[in-house]
Amino acid sequence: MRAQHGQVLAIIGQGYVGLPLAMAAVDAGWTVIGVDNFEAKVAQINSGSSPVEDISDLKLQSALASGAYRATDDFSSVTEASVITICVPTPLNEKREPDLDLLKSAATGISPYVSDEALVVSESTSYPGTLREIIIPIVNSLKPTNSKRVYFASAPERVNPADTAWNQKNTPRLVGAIDAESKKRALAFYESICDAAISVSTPEVAEAAKLLENTFRLVNIALVNEFTQLCSISGISVQEVIDAASTKPYGFMPFRPGVGVGGHCIPVDPLYLTWWARENGGAATFVESADSINHAMPRYVAERALGMVGQGISNPKVLILGVAYKPGVGDVRETPVSALRNHLNALGAVVAWHDPLVSVWEGSEPVDLDWHCDIAILATKQPGMDIKQLLVKGIQILDCTNSFNGTLGVTPL
Ligand SMILES: NC(=O)c1ccc[n+]([C@@H]2O[C@H](COP(=O)([O-])OP(=O)(O)OC[C@H]3O[C@@H](n4cnc5c(N)ncnc54)[C@H](O)[C@@H]3O)[C@@H](O)[C@H]2O)c1
């Protein structure tokens, strides 16, 4: 189903979620206004330079040139929209609890400009009840008096940056709305941009499903991270064990160990779940335990790497390869490599890093692969990183990515 000509969509937040959504909606026939309160990002986007790896400059430039897309920091343009989606970050605060300040400010920003009969959808990840208890009261209390009827739904985004198989269009979308008319409109919107929109009974079900999906990944990664340490003590290759278990045709899904978990979703969303559990008088102890195991991995990796360096070297030079939280992106949010670097420094190492997709990280700049080191840690396997250069020089590599199993000079985690 394509959008009817001239239908206007406003997307609040033009990041990893909002910009790909904008391009998908343009492809589906929508006129899209991308609202972002970060002025420099708006200028960058409008100049045709994409801040998101999955959207090429060419794609963005063609959307801008067609007149079907523009970015702005002016919330009043929301007035033109029949559908408004909120795609702003939902991080943790310093107590590692949900920080909904940006979501609240986005809801507050759009409210005076929500037109009558508009549909407001939250795509941001949050705990169940966020749409009904936070967003709807803000919008209803601040909307124009002549906007008599506003519709609401929750449709958590599932995009997986740098995934070449699954994207906004072919990943089914969950939609939970507050009433029948909101549901009808939300399904029609998502059916216009996705191959499949799946209706669930309430926004809370959609919000909870998103937390379950990402918590599933967190606990399985923790399981395999813990299992890795047990295998290592016994001299068993965890990768071979995972390969072996994967031959079972049902009931097993392979997850691989690594430096930890990173990005805006996997380390963060499960803590929305643990907080929500506590708020409701429950406890998500299993999830909390998984979180602790993943947090202990950077130290484990640091100790494993330094254990591979010759005894006589008191301040070993360690080169970290890949600092982004996953391959193919330059996104360093919540990267576990940050804790890895801190542990290495605390253990007396001199640390440098190399990542072709990251130009500055925590105030430091990358080094070239010819930086002299005693050991290298492959933390994230970025495209275009020729680590064979190091092997030729006889430098040992601790591979946390399962990329070079069986290669001389490479020790898998
Ligand atoms: N990145 C992912 O892989 C992914 C996947 C699925 C879901 N999500 C969820 O989607 C949401 C957005 O994540 P993201 O990765 O796109 O974040 P992002 O940081 O890449 O982009 C968010 C954008 O929102 C803008 N912004 C912040 N506050 C704003 C406000 N009040 N008004 C207008 N603009 C504002 C920022 O300037 C930024 O450009 C989060 O809830 C996240 O958990 C992310």
Side-chain angles (χ1 to χ4, degrees), residues 107-126:
T108 306
I110 60 168
S111 294
Y113 309 107
V114 173
S115 57
D116 193 30
E117 299 277 309
L119 168 70
V120 176
V121 185
S122 177
E123 295 206 4
S124 291
T125 306
S126 188

Side-chain angles (χ1 to χ4, degrees), residues 19-20 25 27 59 67 91 98 103 138 166 209 214 223 269 273 284 331 333 351 398:
L19 191 60
D27 288 346
K59 175 91 192 155
L103 194 64
I138 292 175
W166 295 103
N214 282 355
L223 172 65
D269 303 350
L273 178 60
D331 191 349
R333 288 177 296 179
V351 185
L398 175 62

Side-chain angles (χ1 to χ4, degrees), residues 12-348:
I12 318 305
Q14 290 297 277
Y16 281 92
V17 165
L19 191 60
L21 174 68
M23 295 303 108
V26 166
D27 288 346
W30 287 83
T31 297
V32 181
I33 305 160
V35 183
D36 201 293
N37 64 0
F38 185 15
E39 216 177 301
K41 191 178 232 179
V42 168
Q44 180 187 345
I45 291 173
N46 282 334
S47 76
S49 160
S50 170
V52 172
E53 292 86 356
D54 285 346
I55 301 299
S56 68
D57 289 351
L58 213 60
K59 175 91 192 155
L60 175 61
Q61 285 159 12
S62 121
L64 287 163
S66 73
Y69 172 73
R70 70 175 198 276
T72 177
D73 59 1
D74 178 5
F75 275 84
S76 71
S77 56
V78 164
T79 298
E80 301 166 44
S82 60
V83 179
I84 303 157
T85 61
I86 301 177
C87 305
V88 300
T90 41
L92 298 171
N93 63 20
E94 62 292 341
K95 289 191 328 224
R96 292 180 45 82
E97 291 179 347
D99 176 354
L100 295 188
D101 282 357
L102 299 176
L103 194 64
K104 288 177 188 165
S105 82
T108 306
I110 60 168
S111 294
Y113 309 107
V114 173
S115 57
D116 193 30
E117 299 277 309
L119 168 70
V120 176
V121 185
S122 177
E123 295 206 4
S124 291
T125 306
S126 188
Y127 55 83
T130 301
L131 179 76
R132 213 183 287 271
E133 292 157 21
I134 309 267
I135 296 174
I136 294 178
I138 292 175
V139 175
N140 279 343
S141 66
L142 299 174
K143 69 182 182 185
T145 43
N146 58 354
S147 292
K148 300 245 176 304
R149 189 77 178 91
V150 178
Y151 304 99
F152 293 97
S154 168
E157 174 57 77
R158 290 167 151 173
V159 74
N160 183 22
D163 190 330
T164 49
W166 295 103
N167 52 47
Q168 208 114 28
K169 184 162 189 317
N170 66 8
T171 305
R173 180 69 76 115
L174 295 180
V175 176
I178 55 160
D179 54 32
E181 187 57 30
S182 298
K183 174 171 146 182
K184 193 176 117 200
R185 289 169 186 246
L187 285 174
F189 168 62
Y190 283 102
E191 279 163 3
S192 78
I193 57 165
C194 301
D195 293 345
I198 298 162
S199 173
V200 295
S201 60
T202 62
E204 288 76 17
V205 170
E207 290 163 333
K210 174 69 190 180
L211 294 191
L212 176 62
E213 291 164 17
N214 282 355
T215 304
F216 173 86
R217 285 186 60 75
L218 178 98
V219 298
N220 278 288
I221 292 167
L223 172 65
V224 89
N225 278 338
E226 184 173 72
F227 201 76
T228 298
Q229 299 178 45
L230 302 177
C231 283
S232 172
I233 295 167
S234 307
I236 297 172
S237 158
V238 71
Q239 303 293 359
E240 193 181 351
V241 174
I242 297 167
D243 290 342
S246 300
T247 61
K248 186 177 175 185
Y250 58 91
F252 183 82
M253 187 183 280
F255 284 81
R256 300 285 168 177
V259 178
V261 287
H264 189 38
C265 297
I266 308 301
V268 174
D269 303 350
L271 298 195
Y272 273 61
L273 178 60
T274 56
W275 178 87
W276 175 68
R278 288 195 300 277
E279 284 294 294
N280 287 288
T285 45
F286 181 58
V287 183
E288 278 166 5
S289 172
D291 182 50
S292 318
I293 290 168
N294 288 332
H295 271 283
M297 277 311 277
R299 185 181 177 93
Y300 172 76
V301 171
E303 287 170 353
R304 277 276 301 268
L306 295 183
M308 290 164 61
V309 176
Q311 294 288 331
I313 304 173
S314 52
N315 295 105
K317 289 186 155 181
V318 181
L319 176 59
I320 299 178
L321 303 167
V323 299
Y325 81 93
K326 68 187 273 189
V329 299
D331 191 349
V332 291
R333 288 177 296 179
E334 304 279 335
T335 177
V337 184
S338 185
L340 172 63
R341 176 163 76 170
N342 293 343
H343 285 301
L344 287 165
N345 282 328
L347 292 166

